[in-house]
Amino acid sequence: MRTASSEIIRWVARHVVPQEPQVRGALRRAGVAEADIDDLIQEAYCRFAAMDSIAHVDRPGAYFMQVVKNLWRDQLRRARVVRFEEITEIAQWLVEAEELGVEAAVAAREQVRMVERLLADLPERCRTIFTLKRVEGLPQREIARRLGVSESIVENDVQKALRRIQHAVRTERFEKEDQGVGEPRRHRIPA
């Protein structure tokens, strides 16, 4: 692993480290466990150390917060089961941490309502399977046993529900971007 340049080390010490208490506070308010907070902060610092340049960063505190949020989202995506309470807490945290305006808060609520509508519109078996898997956290085998279907049907229905939700969210986001509403701030995060 290469060593971070002295310029980046000074930048992190001067502009990022002082923001750590605010980032930790936002993570705590989002209900993230202390051990996970430590891991997320450490991973963020590793990302900063791997950067080739800081020229693209105009607001270090906001950039630090965005890096940590992206790491947290990635961790949630990799989790086998994500409780809906966690999703709600993260959505609230995103609204608070970015100090979004009223329009963005309304948009976030609209997305939650859209997901609820999409779930309601799913075929009954698909909705039931998705709810048992993603909300109640039941294992695939238990769901299959309860409903008298194969495990592959359980897996397929969960994937069908996820694809439908993701497609709807992506479609809505692109439509809003085409209209110039809620254009996202883009910060590239080194891999």
Side-chain angles (χ1 to χ4, degrees):
M1 179 176 184
R2 69 179 181 80
T3 306
S5 74
S6 58
E7 174 192 10
I8 291 176
I9 293 170
R10 279 192 304 274
W11 177 81
V12 168
R14 184 174 296 136
H15 300 288
V16 177
V17 172
Q19 302 297 321
E20 186 175 326
Q22 289 86 354
V23 172
R24 285 181 177 275
L27 289 167
R28 280 188 201 100
R29 285 189 301 278
V32 180
E34 280 299 319
D36 289 334
I37 291 173
D38 292 339
D39 290 345
L40 292 166
I41 297 291
Q42 182 63 37
E43 179 64 25
Y45 284 133
C46 290
R47 296 276 175 108
F48 293 134
M51 291 170 53
D52 293 324
S53 168
I54 53 170
H56 64 285
V57 182
D58 57 340
R59 295 179 25 218
Y63 189 79
F64 185 22
M65 183 71 75
Q66 189 63 48
V67 168
V68 171
K69 287 191 302 187
N70 289 343
L71 291 168
W72 179 239
R73 281 187 205 130
D74 290 346
Q75 188 175 350
L76 287 176
R77 280 189 203 111
R78 286 190 302 269
R80 257 183 25 162
V81 174
V82 177
R83 296 181 347 220
F84 271 79
E85 293 84 21
E86 289 175 320
I87 294 170
T88 305
E89 290 166 3
I90 286 295
Q92 182 64 32
W93 174 46
L94 293 175
V95 171
E96 290 172 1
E98 291 181 1
E99 300 175 1
L100 295 174
V102 174
E103 294 169 358
V106 170
R109 286 187 198 109
E110 286 175 4
Q111 281 192 339
V112 170
R113 282 193 288 273
M114 178 183 61
V115 170
E116 290 170 347
R117 282 191 312 272
L118 289 168
L119 287 176
D121 290 343
L122 288 172
E124 185 178 344
R125 185 190 73 199
C126 184
R127 181 178 57 249
T128 301
I129 288 174
F130 184 82
T131 303
L132 290 172
K133 178 74 173 166
R134 292 296 178 142
V135 177
E136 295 183 25
L138 291 179
Q140 198 166 292
R141 177 172 285 147
E142 173 63 18
I143 297 168
R145 187 192 63 73
R146 275 191 190 186
L147 300 179
V149 297
S150 70
E151 285 187 54
S152 63
I153 286 176
V154 171
E155 186 175 338
N156 290 339
D157 279 1
V158 168
Q159 291 304 314
K160 183 192 309 181
L162 283 173
R163 279 192 305 272
R164 194 163 176 183
I165 291 167
Q166 289 169 344
H167 174 73
V169 169
R170 258 193 320 272
T171 301
E172 179 180 293
R173 187 180 72 227
F174 289 134
E175 286 172 359
K176 286 185 177 183
E177 286 178 10
D178 287 344
Q179 298 167 1
V181 176
E183 292 188 47
R185 284 179 271 162
R186 291 186 173 91
H187 296 289
R188 294 196 86 78
I189 298 174

